[in-house]
Amino acid sequence: MAEFGVGLDKEKALTDKMLELGVRSGDIQEHFVRSSGPGGQNVNKTSTCVYLKHIPTGIEVKCQQERSQALNRYRGRQLLLQKIETLILGKRSAEQQRIEKIRRQKRRRSRRAKLKMLEAKRRHSEKKLLRSSGRQLSDI
């Protein structure tokens, strides 16, 4: 039986990730609190929300995405490992790569690339003008 209520392959992937980052189960402090929001009687009677704290780094995570405590424990650990990975790996982490990609997309175009793009737009608008009114380019 899986400890977190997920498949053995997912649980193994989680433990592998913990080993890779050097996080021990003993370093994680775990508390359960009552969830809030939708979920009805189950949420009101049981403590399904999980609060995790990684003692060496001081990173804290609270997870109440699911109705079951076991799944929240699993998801909470995933979130905690993501945050620890971002802290440890810094620039190489997936989160940093995503931010870097957005930065590259927002970067200003070079003057030559901008001129080329504007020229293509101008040609396209001329083409559309000719389509709509039946006019010739010489009429413009």
Side-chain angles (χ1 to χ4, degrees):
M1 179 70 186
E3 183 184 353
F4 298 114
V6 293
L8 292 174
D9 52 335
K10 286 186 178 180
E11 196 167 319
K12 184 175 177 356
L14 184 71
T15 53
D16 290 346
K17 189 74 165 176
M18 286 175 74
L19 283 173
E20 178 187 322
L21 294 173
V23 176
R24 293 188 341 233
S25 295
D27 292 342
I28 299 174
Q29 196 175 32
E30 187 174 52
H31 298 288
F32 299 103
V33 282
R34 294 249 169 95
S35 296
S36 61
Q41 189 175 13
N42 180 59
V43 164
N44 297 331
K45 289 178 83 173
T46 60
S47 298
T48 53
C49 179
V50 68
Y51 166 83
L52 300 172
K53 181 177 181 178
H54 186 241
I55 298 164
T57 58
I59 295 174
E60 300 174 353
V61 168
K62 191 174 182 182
C63 182
Q64 62 178 30
Q65 294 174 352
E66 306 293 333
R67 285 184 64 188
S68 90
Q69 191 182 70
L71 280 176
N72 280 331
R73 286 180 71 212
Y74 173 74
R75 294 210 188 273
R77 278 176 169 68
Q78 281 183 322
L79 288 170
L80 187 68
L81 289 176
Q82 272 182 346
K83 288 189 175 196
I84 291 171
E85 182 181 35
T86 303
L87 180 74
I88 292 173
L89 299 179
K91 193 151 181 75
R92 296 181 314 179
S93 74
E95 180 69 15
Q96 284 297 117
Q97 287 175 351
R98 185 186 68 80
I99 290 168
E100 204 51 46
K101 181 180 178 185
I102 291 168
R103 189 174 289 135
R104 279 194 307 272
Q105 288 172 343
K106 289 183 176 181
R107 193 169 48 204
R108 261 185 81 181
R109 285 190 172 95
S110 68
R111 178 169 285 150
R112 186 173 180 168
K114 191 172 181 180
L115 288 173
K116 190 175 177 181
M117 181 216 28
L118 290 173
E119 177 62 27
K121 277 186 165 186
R122 189 186 59 74
R123 272 189 266 118
H124 188 69
S125 69
E126 286 176 358
K127 200 187 310 179
K128 287 182 81 169
L129 262 175
L130 291 174
R131 264 191 237 142
S132 63
S133 62
R135 296 188 290 173
Q136 297 296 320
L137 193 57
S138 59
D139 298 342
I140 299 173

